[in-house]
Amino acid sequence: MYTELRETATELAAVLWREHTVYRERGGGVVIRGEHVGRWISLAPTGGKDQARLRAGRLLDGGTTAPARSEAVVDLSVGTAELAAVCRRLLADVAAAETVPPRARTERPTRANRPAKPARPRRPRSRSRSRKSRHTSLSSWVVLICVAGVVGLWAYAQFGMYGH
């Protein structure tokens, strides 16, 4: 399946971009990188006969890949032109996702211009929450007594049997 994906990716890369790099990814798929456009396309096996999962994303600064923005399952028996059309649609989705600006921090109301909240009446604290005890708990005492018993048995075994 890898050789078929590699051949298909090489043909597809030549149709999509003049400058490209085709390489194998860890999962057994093939990646086409278009450095000059800042995009990547991945072809990965799906488990179905003659099917591949196409994913598209963008390249980040430094050459790392961003997570896929769009994906589709395609039949590899269709021609290269049809695969290129699907890839162009996926790449258009990636470009459209980039143009939508993320919600800016300045749109959020800051503490200074936020409307005041009405004061909530204070509830009395429950007895268990308000009483933070610093005393040693019962389980801690049991552990301390067991440790003291082991130390006592050791001392008795070392010194008690010889009559010292």
Side-chain angles (χ1 to χ4, degrees):
M1 183 70 175
Y2 172 71
T3 55
E4 183 182 357
L5 282 178
R6 176 78 179 195
E7 292 170 1
T8 304
T10 305
E11 293 172 12
L12 188 60
V15 171
L16 290 174
W17 299 312
R18 280 182 282 148
E19 300 173 26
H20 58 270
T21 306
V22 178
Y23 64 92
R24 183 178 184 182
E25 66 182 340
R26 282 183 239 161
V30 181
V31 177
I32 307 168
R33 287 174 70 111
E35 297 286 340
H36 64 291
V37 292
R39 303 284 185 271
W40 61 268
I41 295 174
S42 167
L43 284 89
T46 61
K49 185 170 174 65
D50 291 336
Q51 286 188 338
R53 182 175 68 167
L54 277 176
R55 296 182 316 149
R58 61 188 182 95
L59 296 175
L60 301 174
D61 294 336
T64 59
T65 57
R69 293 284 182 142
S70 58
E71 72 179 64
V73 175
V74 293
D75 191 10
L76 293 177
S77 62
V78 300
T80 306
E82 289 84 3
L83 286 175
V86 172
C87 288
R88 286 185 183 108
R89 182 179 51 82
L90 293 177
L91 291 168
D93 290 347
V94 170
E98 273 184 30
T99 58
V100 176
R103 186 173 161 187
R105 288 186 158 263
T106 56
E107 292 176 9
R108 286 186 178 162
T110 60
R111 190 176 289 256
N113 62 5
R114 185 180 301 153
K117 292 183 181 178
R120 291 190 337 200
R122 295 195 136 217
R123 289 185 288 164
R125 290 188 175 186
S126 67
R127 189 173 163 106
S128 62
R129 277 187 66 203
S130 65
R131 200 175 108 191
K132 298 249 179 187
S133 175
R134 298 265 183 215
H135 298 290
T136 308
S137 66
L138 177 63
S139 57
S140 297
W141 280 112
V142 170
V143 169
L144 287 173
I145 290 172
C146 289
V147 169
V150 168
V151 169
L153 285 174
W154 176 81
Y156 178 74
Q158 293 296 319
F159 305 112
M161 295 167 63
Y162 302 113
H164 288 276

